Amino acid sequence: MVRGSRLGVQGSPGILVCVSIAADIARWSSRVLFDDLPGDVVHASKLRVLDVIGLALAGAETPFGRSVRDAAVAMSAPGPCRVLGSGDSINVTMAAFANGAFSQALEYDDTHNESIVHMSSPSVSAALAIADMTRVTGRDLVAAIAVGNEVSCRAGSVAPGQFHRRGFHPSGLFATFGVAYLASRLLGLDADAMARAAGISGSFASGILECWVDGTQTKFLHPGWSAQSGIVSAFLARAGTTGPAKVFEGRWGLFASHLQDNVTPADFSRLTAGLGTHWDSRNASFKPFPAAHVLHPYIDAMLRLHHAHGVRAEQVDWIDCPVSAFIVPIVCNPTDEKFAPATDSHGRVSLQYTLAETLVRGSLGKHAYSEESLRDPAILGLARRVRFHQDESFPGPGRFKGAVTVVLKNGRTLTEVEEYNRGSVENPMSDADIRTKFDENAEGFLDPAGRDRVAGLAMRLETLSDARVLIDATVSRQ
């Protein structure tokens, strides 16, 4: 162990810390300023705030969202923070938890392509909850979200693809660290205390994917858990609680404890290389569809077959999709589960069902995967005619490519290929696309004037002296 510096203002006197990756990240995180952020990162961060607010409002309308809201209110005495949409007053951790969980309810939140971490739903939910509790400027809010997202993306890229294949949810594990750094910034922790917060958060980082087997809802809780846990870690570190310095690279650190083999050696340089000059979060994609992100290029290919070529479900004999090996256990197998999903959450991770609903309905938006659609004989019948095969030429984590071949009953064959998922840096959604998505998601709580106000505040967030006005604007105006 290498002896390091003594803890500073927010630390506990006499405690020594060792040199570690968490400490290196903390030194960067504690020093980076809003003015250090590239302009495109600032702009994207503001769009992510707008996107997550819309997603939280849409998620709050669902039965899942209502159950989370009821539980959060029951667990918290009235507090300074609010549930987005309804405006219930609760404490900071429950507000972060509820709003973060809402934002995943439709499987519609952004994703870092390589790590497949949903980084913005936990970071934005946590940042807004802290801003509701204590005064935070818009510039500080944007900087904290940018830092938190960057850490989440980098942590998830140390061993990409290796956590899904073992049944762990990367967002539940890695976004917890991002929020710990984000919350530490907003609570004024110095670098040493910030590193301890990261160490503490390693014991909260969690999330398994057994819910994909039976279509239950626990995956949707993970962004909320990450948001809550990162905040708790920062408060504990501020109070003097210690956490392991080598939470990432240590003998019993996150990667050693979860991977436990050498199939893919952990590349710890991904956590710190080029910090402040290279922004991994630039390679994160917004979602145009409420489904698993690896499905998006297939959905767009299917929609082109429908709209540009006039393909209709009743004309189809069968459908074939080449796929990358890493997505097979996520969205292709077991086929019996994927052919007939038990619930909406089940359907959102099914290639077969999703392509069938897309073609039968001609779209896949906020109201997709309804109970009616999940029981529609036309959709279920077509789903059983969707085939897949592994194609070694298809890329692994980092790039989502899709192709759909439709063989019609008259013998005609049509193919569409989507080289890069829409919403990625190579095939971006426009600001107008993201605003349209926000309007649809927020319409259950906000009238047109209310949506205009939230969007206007989000896109000039850096000018706000108190970011709380943005939360004020999310309270229902219907």
Side-chain angles (χ1 to χ4, degrees):
M1 180 176 291
V2 180
R3 290 166 67 87
S5 60
R6 291 185 181 272
L7 296 172
V9 175
Q10 295 288 356
S12 297
I15 297 175
L16 293 174
V17 297
C18 70
V19 175
S20 67
I21 292 172
D24 288 343
I25 297 171
R27 280 189 288 274
W28 169 75
S29 177
S30 63
R31 294 170 184 167
V32 66
L33 303 174
F34 176 86
D35 290 335
D36 297 325
L37 304 178
D40 64 305
V41 172
V42 171
H43 187 70
S45 297
K46 293 187 293 184
L47 287 172
R48 297 188 197 287
V49 170
L50 180 65
D51 191 38
V52 170
I53 290 173
L55 295 170
L57 295 175
E61 293 184 82
T62 65
F64 165 78
R66 289 191 287 273
S67 73
V68 169
R69 178 257 172 198
D70 289 347
V73 170
M75 287 189 285
S76 174
C81 305
R82 285 163 290 176
V83 176
L84 297 183
S86 64
D88 297 284
S89 296
I90 54 180
N91 66 40
V92 64
T93 53
M94 282 295 100
F97 175 78
N99 295 329
F102 294 165
S103 64
Q104 244 258 309
L106 299 183
E107 195 70 60
Y108 214 175
D109 48 336
D110 64 4
T111 311
H112 180 243
N113 285 37
E114 183 177 10
S115 64
I116 319 185
V117 169
H118 302 286
M119 73 286 182
S120 294
S121 42
S123 69
V124 172
S125 301
L128 292 178
I130 294 171
D132 220 11
M133 178 193 73
T134 187
R135 182 170 176 170
V136 174
T137 69
R139 287 165 63 91
D140 287 344
L141 192 80
V142 170
I145 290 168
V147 165
N149 280 350
E150 185 66 12
V151 172
S152 298
C153 295
R154 285 170 171 267
S157 299
V158 170
Q162 296 306 307
F163 286 81
H164 270 114
R165 67 186 291 266
R166 291 168 173 80
F168 295 115
H169 186 207
S171 301
L173 274 68
F174 301 118
T176 306
F177 292 99
V179 174
Y181 285 101
L182 173 158
S184 295
R185 280 181 61 97
L186 294 179
L187 295 175
L189 275 65
D190 67 10
D192 288 333
M194 196 176 286
R196 293 208 317 281
I200 294 166
S201 70
S203 286
F204 296 135
S206 61
I208 61 170
L209 293 170
E210 180 64 16
C211 56
W212 279 355
V213 174
D214 58 7
T216 45
Q217 299 169 327
T218 49
K219 176 179 180 285
F220 300 157
L221 298 171
H222 297 168
W225 180 252
S226 290
Q228 169 183 291
S229 298
I231 292 173
V232 170
S233 298
F235 270 103
L236 288 168
R238 188 173 72 169
T241 306
T242 61
K246 295 190 175 183
V247 66
F248 295 116
E249 72 275 31
R251 178 160 50 101
W252 300 113
L254 183 81
F255 292 91
S257 61
H258 284 69
L259 300 184
Q260 298 194 4
D261 60 42
N262 294 314
V263 173
T264 302
D267 181 4
F268 291 111
S269 70
R270 293 300 306 276
L271 279 158
T272 55
L275 265 178
T277 57
H278 174 80
W279 290 82
D280 262 58
S281 58
R282 283 174 167 150
N283 297 315
S285 298
F286 288 95
K287 277 190 175 183
F289 307 112
H293 224 141
V294 296
L295 295 177
H296 284 216
Y298 296 92
I299 297 166
D300 264 320
M302 180 61 84
L303 287 172
R304 282 201 300 276
L305 288 165
H306 177 71
H307 294 300
H309 299 281
V311 173
R312 299 293 182 267
E314 60 271 17
Q315 302 171 323
V316 173
D317 189 4
W318 52 272
I319 297 166
D320 183 63
C321 300
V323 300
S324 177
F326 87 95
I327 79 169
V328 171
I330 301 174
V331 296
C332 301
N333 278 333
T335 54
D336 285 346
E337 294 174 10
K338 304 304 183 182
F339 288 149
T343 64
D344 71 295
S345 56
H346 224 190
R348 297 177 199 277
V349 290
S350 166
L351 172 72
Q352 296 90 328
Y353 176 86
T354 294
L355 291 187
E357 178 170 339
T358 298
L359 184 56
V360 171
R361 297 286 188 248
S363 64
L364 198 81
K366 173 185 175 182
H367 300 293
Y369 304 98
S370 67
E371 187 65 26
E372 178 186 2
S373 293
L374 290 167
R375 302 294 170 256
D376 187 325
I379 295 174
L380 295 175
L382 182 59
R384 291 188 173 275
R385 301 201 299 278
V386 177
R387 307 172 184 174
F388 69 92
H389 66 276
Q390 290 187 36
D391 187 328
E392 297 304 319
S393 72
F394 267 51
R399 176 181 164 196
F400 303 153
K401 176 182 177 179
V404 177
T405 294
V406 174
V407 178
L408 303 181
K409 293 175 181 176
N410 64 8
R412 188 181 179 201
T413 298
L414 296 165
T415 298
E416 282 285 347
V417 178
E418 186 84 345
E419 292 288 346
Y420 297 94
N421 63 288
R422 185 154 55 96
S424 64
V425 65
E426 298 88 357
N427 184 13
M429 294 173 68
S430 67
D431 289 8
D433 291 335
I434 295 167
R435 173 61 198 270
T436 298
K437 176 185 174 183
F438 167 78
D439 285 339
E440 181 184 32
N441 283 330
E443 65 186 0
F445 281 98
L446 301 176
D447 60 22
R451 297 196 294 272
D452 285 344
R453 176 165 171 74
V454 171
L457 290 168
M459 297 315 296
R460 58 181 179 89
L461 190 52
E462 74 275 24
T463 70
L464 303 181
S465 61
D466 187 345
R468 200 169 192 263
V469 298
L470 178 59
I471 299 102
D472 293 340
T474 70
V475 176
S476 178
R477 295 175 184 273
Q478 295 284 40

